[in-house]
Amino acid sequence: MKLLKPSWVSHHGKPIFSVDIHPDGTKFATGGQGEDSGKVMIWNMAPVLREEDEKNEDVHKMLCQMDNHLACVNCVRWSNNGLYLASGGDDKLVMVWKRAAFIGPSTVFGSSSKLANVEQWRCVTILRNHTGDVMDVAWSPHDVWLASCSVDNTIVIWNARKFPEMVTCLRGHTGLVKGLTWDPVGKYVASQADDHSLKVWRTVDWQMEANITKPFNECGGTTHVLRLSWSPDGQYLVSAHAMNNSGPTAQIVERDGWKTNMDFVGHRKAVTVVKFNPKIFKKKQKNGSSNKPSCPYCCCAVGSKDRSLSVWLTSLKRPLVVIHDLFDKSIMDISWTLTGLGMLVCSMDGTVAYLDFSLDELGDPLSEEEKNSIHQNIYGKSMAITNTEAQLSTTIIENPEMLKYQQQRQTSTQTNSAPGTVGPESSAPKLNSVMNGESLEDIRKNLLKKQVETRTADGRRRITPLCIAQLDTGDFSPALFNSVPILPSGSSMSNQLTPHLSSDSSPGQPSSLGFRPSHDPMLTSPPANSLKALEDNNEGVKSTLLLTSASKIEPIKALDSRFTERSKATPGLTAAITSTKECKLKEDTSSDSEDKMASINKNLMYSKRKPELMIDGGEVVEKRKKGRPRKEKMTTSMVQSFTQVHTVSVPPSAVAALRLPTPSTQKAFSLQVSMEPSVFLEVENEVTVVAGSKLSQLRCSKDGRDWNTLLPSSTLESVDLIAVASEDRMLSVFSSCGRRLLPAIQLATPVSALHCTAHFVMVVTAGATLSVWSVLIQRKRYTLSVFINTSVSQSLLTQQGVPVVGLSNGKSFCFSSSLETWSLIADKADSLVQCADFRGCLSSHDAPVSSGPLAVMQGRYLNAGRLASRLSSTPHHMQQSMTLAFLENQLASALTLQSGQEYRYWLLIYSRFLVNEGSEHRLRELCKELLGPVHTSATTSWEPTTVGFRKRELLREVLPVIGENLRFQRLFTEYQDQLELLRNK
Amino acid sequence: MAKVQVLNVAVLDNPSPFGNPFQFEITFECMEDLPEDLEWKIIYVGSAESEEYDQVLDSVLVGPVPAGRHMFVFQADAPNTGLIPESDAVGVTVVLITCTYHGQEFIRIGYYVNNEYTGPELRENPPLKPDYSKLQRNILAPNPRVTRFHINWEGVADTMEDSENVDPSPNTRGMLPPPCVPGKMPPLGLLPENSMDCL
């Protein structure tokens, strides 16, 4: 061990209260008393480490001094990333400093010291909240928070990513709080105070986790500071001043149960400061010794009011070294270098000492990887990326593209970070001269003549100063902290939500079955009336059903894709549809009771009432009775279509038949279907009564052109494509000009919801069937049975014609045509959503997709997970897996929905998450899938595109994300090369 | 933390005849755009004995001030000799440059000024009534005394109650030597280097 007291490190003989070594080891800060104010000084480390640098006049010793604190500075701490320095003092303030962007050394004007500031550090934020002296400040792991404690008995947690925002104020101490330390995995923060207690606070809810008082009961007197420390493995917390049998000790508190069984004994006076070495060590393997792996241990330095310093290894029972009489006064602070081999100690007597240890003395420090794996074993906390950055910075970048991405990333994340090297030439670069090549001297000569002087209204002189340098003010660039909030897509939902009106109509009235027999041949929808829906297709037809409860209903009517073909036989349209764009219309056809005209608000579009589920055995029976004659009547026309469908008679008691609510009919209503061009739709029911039959009039006005259609019976709605469902279960589809596009379609049960999108029309009937028609190719896409014990609360049709239904139990499904099955795309009760935390993976320039079908169905609760990492106490690895699972679900759902933009959006988040979490295998698999086979072969089943994107283009977007992490540079290079190869082909 | 830092003040036209205007070239740096103008004042202390004889030579508004480094020359006429006690005309006195923002003074820069006759004859036998035309003013430019005050930069509305603000008023005479020194200033050379930093 070497010991050095650099005499040039001094505050002109005034006490030095705090010392902290910069994470890059090139400089250190001291804080203490200045001449009239508090003083923060930044020193070059090189002259401490090397004698030749100390003697070299060209190597600056003092880099910067800041007199801004009005009173004594009690604590200085560098942020973990080294960009910021926080200082707290008797003036109740915490100041955060950043290396400033100005050229050249400068003196402090008017300062007696003629020493130039080689580096310019400027205060970027003042944190005001404390009402008493600030005694200690501490940055949390990864610089998420900054904690400060004060003699006002409080601890304030600041949002280090958004200064000066305060996260919380921890109250509970009843005495001056004099020390702070963060748990290395960021789960706790601990404080020690004069109130004879040490308190541990959870970062999850900022509540007190433990209050340890026993070892401190005997503590009397006062120490200026009580700087406690947490071991790098997180297992032990060591307090400052504690007492054991009337002797001063440093109490060891175990993380496990906060037990206080051990302490460091030997100091004659109170312990003021404890500081763990940031490294974990293992025994140095000597040649010839047994290769038995030794247990890792930690190293801890203890400083005391008795002016002595002791250094301990947790593997030894006695201290490694004790140094007496190092100072004339109490030791105030200790700081280790990040390498774990050097240590600076400062004292109230105004001097500092540097201790240099060798590997032989301390042991072999574990690499960051090994340290991480220890953390991971104990806490499951992945710190793979953040913690290894320092180490990675020494990795050679092998690929120019990679270098590019790394540089981009650096410029974006550290807009203004100062290089680590120290010297006159390293002064930061950002002074933009605005002097047009004129020398400052020239300017000064003529300044008086040239400067603009005006008179204000009240006659006062006003001088416009000459700007000689612009200052970039983006000191706290938000880019530094990727904190882009996900905006819930709440607003867009209202546009797409179809209003569901419930009508309590009793489905009692006999329907006029033979009303329009001419339409029967066109009947495409299976008779799904209640029991009839219970058609069995045990012929092995793939069942497409939503069975969400374990109901006993076995006979299931399902869609057979063959239906689709059959519907081809439907008499077709005579004209092709040319302009079919967005179309949205849905309306009400109530049950056949025509005399029941519910008056519904015109703005029914915005009224959302929970549909009611009607399950009623008696009613079923009734329906069945009524259904029969109809069936008989229809069978003739449906024989060919439904040959394989057998109607099974099920005892009504065993059946819980679902009926979806149907909107009730209005006498008349109008509807603005779209704004641009403005299209109004008016419906008037019961317009003319001719011979007892009622007609409804549908009037659509578009750009002044009106057209009318008379329909027998009532109602409906839509846009460029206009679909009208009438209460006689007829579905009519018109073009925007009013031309009938499809023959009237007879539906089996009244319409519950109706959607038009692009050239698709979707109908959900009260009988719980869902049908989609493509008007363009006059083909029925699907008819699905939604046969469930829940009610459909939301339904929509995507631009690609994929039907989506949201159920009242919170689940949303879409129909995957390729898989011919319903797929779950959203579940309100899904705990994954609650726990997934991918905030860190959101890119600032990808605006959240809020309008896609996936977002619409999930919108409301998608952001539940945003605060998951703060709110949930689940272990990190659990959360990691949950997030992963969630993201993969999102990807799969977007794919099923054929929602390209959303797929791309989630793909990028997913890949960024993989990159951040270091999941190389999944990343590789993802890249492999996107790249596909490099050489074409006949046997490959790889599709070059997915949901409208070329997969290789997607890969090109994913690669820069991968490029941000140096660990994956091999992977990056591999795929980058292959992409290039393919492009050149 | 002050948003405005004075980086340098250069004293121009110095030494000069007593009747010449004062000229200070002020360089300052501003951390962020200031919505309001800065107000600068030059105050000539007529007598060490009393504030009564202080003269505000001039005050100017300086603005607009965007973030960055700026300079300007502040010129102000020589003091009105009629307001200076005859006994204090010759000898050492003080000139102050102050800057306020939102009416709050945040910096006060003081210079010792030595007024003496140019000719040895007059120096030996100064006239009873000071002859200002023959007086030379010498500002001790290398030794500015700078006092900084913490103010509320954000607005005048909330005055900071936490006593962070040192009320400048008790310090207004701070530039001057203690009143107990009889009559004149002690020789400047004997002033402790740092005395004024401890105001």
Side-chain angles (χ1 to χ4, degrees):
Chain A
M1 187 193 76
K2 285 185 273 185
L3 186 58
L4 168 81
K5 284 192 80 170
S7 57
W8 43 269
V9 179
S10 89
H11 286 203
H12 300 291
K14 300 275 191 338
I16 298 179
F17 281 85
S18 183
V19 65
D20 200 36
I21 301 173
H22 192 275
D24 71 9
T26 61
K27 54 192 153 217
F28 63 97
T30 56
Q33 187 67 48
E35 277 135 13
D36 177 34
S37 56
K39 198 179 205 99
V40 177
M41 296 180 88
I42 298 173
W43 307 86
N44 196 349
M45 197 72 186
V48 178
L49 301 176
R50 284 173 297 275
E51 199 180 350
E52 60 269 25
D53 284 337
E54 189 177 11
K55 287 179 176 152
N56 185 345
E57 292 280 315
D58 297 334
V59 176
H60 295 278
K61 293 191 174 68
M62 200 272 289
L63 301 177
C64 186
Q65 57 174 327
M66 296 92 96
D67 293 331
N68 302 59
H69 272 285
L70 286 173
C72 183
V73 174
N74 292 314
C75 189
V76 287
R77 292 289 181 261
W78 297 99
S79 64
N80 297 295
N81 60 16
L83 289 177
Y84 299 101
L85 174 71
S87 60
D90 284 356
D91 54 5
K92 305 161 193 165
L93 305 178
V94 177
M95 297 192 184
V96 181
W97 306 84
K98 186 172 195 272
R99 177 89 181 268
F102 272 115
I103 337 168
S106 73
T107 54
V108 175
F109 175 68
S111 147
S112 58
S113 163
K114 293 299 163 217
L115 280 173
N117 282 342
V118 178
E119 292 184 357
Q120 307 292 316
W121 286 79
R122 85 177 52 239
C123 178
V124 286
T125 288
I126 297 186
L127 306 174
R128 307 164 201 270
N129 187 271
H130 288 296
T131 56
D133 308 1
V134 178
M135 298 307 295
D136 206 0
V137 294
W139 297 85
S140 77
H142 311 329
D143 301 328
V144 180
W145 300 296
L146 176 69
S148 60
C149 66
S150 159
V151 302
D152 65 11
N153 300 0
T154 67
I155 299 144
V156 173
I157 309 291
W158 309 90
N159 183 351
R161 299 181 166 182
K162 240 165 91 187
F163 286 130
E165 186 182 297
M166 203 176 114
V167 176
T168 188
C169 179
L170 308 179
R171 295 172 198 278
H173 277 294
T174 54
L176 325 180
V177 192
K178 291 182 168 177
L180 280 174
T181 184
W182 289 90
D183 160 26
V185 292
K187 205 172 170 194
Y188 303 110
V189 59
S191 58
Q192 193 175 350
D194 267 356
D195 60 3
H196 311 298
S197 77
L198 184 161
K199 299 191 198 297
V200 181
W201 313 79
R202 292 185 294 265
T203 58
V204 175
D205 53 4
W206 302 113
Q207 295 303 304
M208 199 189 301
E209 163 82 14
N211 182 21
I212 298 146
T213 54
K214 197 164 149 271
F216 310 103
N217 284 337
E218 294 177 61
C219 290
T222 49
T223 47
H224 190 88
V225 289
L226 295 166
R227 305 199 204 272
L228 63 174
S229 180
W230 215 302
S231 68
D233 61 4
Q235 289 300 88
Y236 300 101
L237 172 62
V238 178
S239 79
H241 190 34
M243 296 291 270
N244 186 357
N245 262 335
S246 313
T249 62
Q251 182 65 47
I252 300 172
V253 180
E254 292 172 48
R255 185 193 192 95
D256 182 17
W258 313 112
K259 291 191 285 268
T260 54
N261 299 327
M262 298 176 288
D263 47 19
F264 293 122
V265 209
H267 283 284
R268 283 159 296 149
K269 285 186 181 170
V271 170
T272 50
V273 50
V274 174
K275 198 60 157 277
F276 268 98
N277 190 309
K279 289 284 183 192
I280 301 173
F281 294 90
K282 60 174 187 268
K283 230 190 182 98
K284 199 150 181 71
Q285 295 289 342
K286 292 207 177 69
N287 291 341
S289 71
S290 70
N291 278 335
K292 198 175 65 177
S294 65
C295 202
Y297 53 87
C298 299
C299 170
C300 180
V302 179
S304 157
K305 255 178 130 172
D306 68 6
R307 301 177 288 127
S308 65
L309 175 80
S310 57
V311 179
W312 304 72
L313 300 179
T314 52
S315 58
L316 300 178
K317 291 209 165 117
R318 314 204 128 259
L320 182 71
V321 61
V322 180
I323 304 158
H324 291 292
D325 298 324
L326 190 55
F327 299 101
D328 295 333
K329 286 183 181 167
S330 167
I331 289 175
M332 296 306 291
D333 202 2
I334 298 171
S335 176
W336 288 91
T337 60
L338 217 53
T339 62
L341 296 177
M343 174 172 60
L344 275 169
V345 190
C346 72
S347 159
M348 190 84 109
D349 69 6
T351 62
V352 299
Y354 179 71
L355 279 77
D356 185 26
F357 294 91
S358 69
L359 292 176
D360 286 331
E361 289 158 339
L362 295 183
D364 279 332
L366 297 186
S367 70
E368 285 302 307
E369 297 263 311
E370 290 169 300
K371 191 167 143 186
N372 279 338
S373 70
I374 288 180
H375 280 165
Q376 240 153 15
N377 287 343
I378 305 176
Y379 313 106
K381 177 99 182 170
S382 158
M383 302 206 288
I385 302 308
T386 29
N387 267 6
T388 49
E389 251 165 25
Q391 173 203 354
L392 276 171
S393 64
T394 59
T395 311
I396 293 165
I397 298 174
E398 298 166 359
N399 181 318
E401 288 286 319
M402 190 77 192
L403 181 65
K404 197 176 84 197
Y405 291 124
Q406 286 286 319
Q407 284 169 343
Q408 277 171 3
R409 177 163 166 267
Q410 270 171 9
T411 47
S412 70
T413 55
Q414 320 178 345
T415 40
N416 209 2
S417 93
T421 53
V422 172
E425 71 286 343
S426 70
S427 302
K430 286 239 175 145
L431 188 74
N432 307 317
S433 175
V434 289
M435 292 185 280
N436 296 330
E438 244 181 317
S439 84
L440 193 58
E441 284 310 306
D442 293 340
I443 291 176
R444 291 179 62 179
K445 255 183 245 162
N446 298 315
L447 184 57
L448 183 57
K449 279 178 230 149
K450 279 171 126 179
Q451 75 187 10
V452 181
E453 193 171 315
T454 52
R455 291 273 169 183
T456 61
D458 53 355
R460 304 190 55 190
R461 288 167 67 197
R462 185 178 192 238
I463 295 171
T464 303
L466 178 74
C467 183
I468 53 173
Q470 279 168 346
L471 174 64
D472 58 318
T473 48
D475 276 301
F476 264 89
S477 133
L480 186 56
F481 313 106
N482 36 12
S483 56
V484 181
I486 307 179
L487 297 172
S489 57
S491 57
S492 68
M493 277 188 68
S494 58
N495 304 335
Q496 312 221 5
L497 265 182
T498 318
H500 294 275
L501 308 167
S502 82
S503 71
D504 297 353
S505 59
S506 54
Q509 310 303 317
S511 51
S512 51
L513 287 173
F515 187 56
R516 287 186 91 183
S518 61
H519 283 257
D520 281 357
M522 293 175 243
L523 190 70
T524 49
S525 153
N529 192 353
S530 213
L531 283 184
K532 270 190 256 161
L534 299 177
E535 283 144 347
D536 188 1
N537 64 347
N538 27 17
E539 272 92 325
V541 180
K542 283 158 227 134
S543 68
T544 55
L545 103 148
L546 286 181
L547 188 62
T548 52
S549 72
S551 79
K552 288 183 210 126
I553 306 164
E554 267 136 59
I556 284 152
K557 174 207 149 255
L559 159 81
D560 186 338
S561 54
R562 279 164 282 188
F563 281 173
T564 315
E565 291 170 29
R566 216 147 265 136
S567 64
K568 263 191 220 165
T570 312
L573 298 184
T574 48
I577 296 151
T578 47
S579 77
T580 55
K581 282 193 247 145
E582 44 16 301
C583 226
K584 181 131 82 100
L585 239 235
K586 75 120 247 220
E587 222 346 88
D588 36 357
T589 314
S590 85
S591 59
D592 304 330
S593 54
E594 289 185 26
D595 41 10
K596 274 202 179 172
M597 293 292 202
S599 66
I600 295 175
N601 277 336
K602 266 197 178 168
N603 46 358
L604 72 167
M605 282 305 262
Y606 303 102
S607 73
K608 289 178 221 163
R609 273 166 63 194
K610 276 262 176 75
E612 282 156 41
L613 180 64
M614 298 188 295
I615 300 170
D616 183 336
E619 180 193 319
V620 171
V621 178
E622 194 184 344
K623 290 262 21 152
R624 189 165 148 215
K625 280 190 205 138
K626 282 178 229 140
R628 259 194 197 129
R630 177 179 182 171
K631 197 168 91 195
E632 284 158 11
K633 198 155 187 200
M634 284 176 158
T635 358
T636 47
S637 59
M638 296 199 312
V639 166
Q640 316 101 300
S641 310
F642 302 107
T643 43
Q644 75 276 55
V645 175
H646 304 284
T647 306
V648 176
S649 216
V650 180
S653 59
V655 180
L658 174 79
R659 265 192 69 80
L660 296 175
T662 55
S664 56
T665 317
Q666 288 167 281
K667 168 81 176 139
F669 67 94
S670 71
L671 188 63
Q672 181 164 11
V673 186
S674 75
M675 296 298 290
E676 194 58 44
S678 67
V679 176
F680 288 92
L681 202 62
E682 281 176 51
V683 173
E684 198 176 347
N685 291 323
E686 298 183 75
V687 182
T688 45
V689 181
V690 181
S693 74
K694 289 170 183 155
L695 291 180
S696 295
Q697 186 173 39
L698 174 72
R699 200 179 306 121
C700 177
S701 115
K702 181 185 177 190
D703 297 336
R705 283 175 288 131
D706 288 13
W707 52 266
N708 297 325
T709 305
L710 288 184
L711 296 173
S713 167
S714 67
T715 100
L716 296 328
E717 50 174 303
S718 110
V719 190
D720 265 354
L721 181 70
I722 295 168
V724 178
S726 55
E727 64 184 11
D728 63 354
R729 302 174 191 153
M730 283 300 170
L731 175 72
S732 306
V733 179
F734 302 97
S735 76
S736 56
C737 302
R739 200 161 41 80
R740 180 176 281 271
L741 298 175
L742 288 182
I745 296 166
Q746 172 75 56
L747 302 171
T749 49
V751 169
S752 172
L754 175 62
H755 296 277
C756 305
T757 303
H759 55 279
F760 300 101
V761 178
M762 177 173 101
V763 169
V764 180
T765 66
T769 59
L770 185 151
S771 309
V772 176
W773 293 273
S774 164
V775 178
L776 199 57
I777 49 174
Q778 294 173 35
R779 171 182 292 217
K780 181 159 120 194
R781 296 277 292 250
Y782 334 97
T783 298
L784 309 169
S785 164
V786 187
F787 202 70
I788 37 178
N789 268 355
T790 52
S791 174
V792 175
S793 60
Q794 187 184 1
S795 58
L796 62 91
L797 187 62
T798 72
Q799 290 287 325
Q800 289 75 28
V802 178
V804 181
V805 291
L807 304 180
S808 59
N809 64 1
K811 291 187 161 77
S812 300
F813 294 85
C814 74
F815 187 76
S816 160
S817 52
S818 55
L819 298 176
E820 291 181 345
T821 181
W822 286 98
S823 326
L824 181 70
I825 56 164
D827 184 355
K828 210 176 292 182
D830 190 354
S831 51
L832 283 180
V833 182
Q834 319 291 333
C835 301
D837 179 17
F838 47 87
R839 277 169 310 146
C841 306
L842 294 171
S843 150
S844 47
H845 37 83
D846 287 339
V849 180
S850 58
S851 55
L854 188 57
V856 168
M857 295 312 282
Q858 297 179 328
R860 250 170 309 173
Y861 32 98
L862 185 57
N863 56 346
R866 280 171 63 196
L867 297 172
S869 66
R870 306 240 182 119
L871 296 175
S872 79
S873 51
T874 43
H876 180 81
H877 67 274
M878 273 291 289
Q879 203 197 338
Q880 185 187 343
S881 332
M882 289 190 288
T883 310
L884 203 59
F886 171 73
L887 290 175
E888 286 172 356
N889 285 350
Q890 292 294 93
L891 270 181
S893 299
L895 212 52
T896 318
L897 283 169
Q898 300 175 34
S899 173
Q901 284 305 327
E902 285 183 304
Y903 178 72
R904 178 179 161 274
Y905 173 72
W906 287 107
L907 179 71
L908 287 177
I909 290 181
Y910 178 60
S911 46
R912 202 167 285 122
F913 183 78
L914 291 182
V915 166
N916 286 356
E917 295 294 331
S919 319
E920 182 161 3
H921 296 296
R922 282 178 201 240
L923 258 186
R924 183 171 289 279
E925 204 173 273
L926 181 70
C927 291
K928 202 168 152 189
E929 160 61 19
L930 290 177
L931 183 73
V934 181
H935 305 285
T936 44
S937 85
T939 58
T940 179
S941 59
W942 186 75
E943 294 284 339
T945 62
T946 182
V947 288
F949 286 101
R950 297 187 62 81
K951 285 182 178 172
R952 283 170 188 165
E953 288 304 321
L954 286 173
L955 180 59
R956 238 180 276 281
E957 289 191 63
V958 167
L959 275 181
V961 176
I962 296 174
E964 284 178 11
N965 189 345
L966 260 185
R967 296 174 118 213
F968 299 124
Q969 64 167 322
R970 295 279 164 84
L971 181 71
F972 174 84
T973 309
E974 185 181 328
Y975 282 96
Q976 175 81 12
D977 288 352
Q978 293 190 68
L979 272 182
E980 280 304 311
L981 205 72
L982 286 168
R983 185 187 287 172
N984 295 338
K985 270 184 185 174
Chain B
M1 176 67 190
K3 285 186 185 171
V4 172
Q5 299 281 339
V6 173
L7 300 178
N8 193 36
V9 175
V11 183
L12 308 180
D13 188 25
N14 186 47
S16 68
F18 188 85
N20 274 19
F22 283 92
Q23 284 184 9
F24 296 99
E25 177 206 274
I26 299 168
T27 310
F28 64 96
E29 185 177 291
C30 184
M31 286 174 53
E32 55 190 86
D33 299 0
L34 293 183
E36 304 283 329
D37 286 353
L38 296 167
E39 182 180 4
W40 294 83
K41 274 185 198 157
I42 297 180
I43 300 166
Y44 187 80
V45 177
S47 167
E49 308 302 322
S50 164
E51 281 184 50
E52 199 184 317
Y53 300 106
D54 286 5
Q55 295 184 36
V56 177
L57 301 185
D58 204 351
S59 96
V60 294
L61 298 174
V62 170
V65 184
R69 195 178 280 193
H70 310 275
M71 68 196 305
F72 70 101
V73 174
F74 189 2
Q75 179 171 318
D77 290 338
N80 179 347
T81 53
L83 301 177
I84 301 172
E86 289 181 0
S87 57
D88 292 316
V90 180
V92 174
T93 185
V94 162
V95 65
L96 298 169
I97 303 168
T98 67
C99 188
T100 56
Y101 185 69
H102 278 316
Q104 309 164 89
E105 180 174 322
F106 64 91
I107 191 166
R108 166 166 293 223
I109 302 154
Y111 286 97
Y112 289 112
V113 179
N114 190 20
N115 296 317
E116 55 183 6
Y117 289 108
T118 40
E121 259 174 58
L122 282 171
R123 245 183 260 183
E124 300 287 315
N125 300 303
L128 224 60
K129 191 170 172 60
D131 181 357
Y132 287 103
S133 62
K134 297 200 170 64
L135 268 181
Q136 190 194 47
R137 178 180 66 211
N138 188 2
I139 300 171
L140 280 111
N143 276 312
R145 301 304 182 194
V146 180
T147 317
R148 297 182 171 90
F149 309 103
H150 276 248
I151 63 162
N152 179 2
W153 289 90
E154 302 307 329
V156 272
D158 58 318
T159 47
M160 279 174 286
E161 64 281 65
D162 51 6
S163 84
E164 182 202 330
N165 280 339
V166 182
D167 184 2
S169 58
N171 291 321
T172 45
R173 303 304 293 177
M175 264 306 297
L176 295 179
C180 58
V181 178
K184 300 295 179 191
M185 292 276 301
L188 284 169
L190 295 186
L191 273 176
E193 177 84 342
N194 299 323
S195 61
M196 284 306 159
D197 286 336
C198 308
L199 291 175

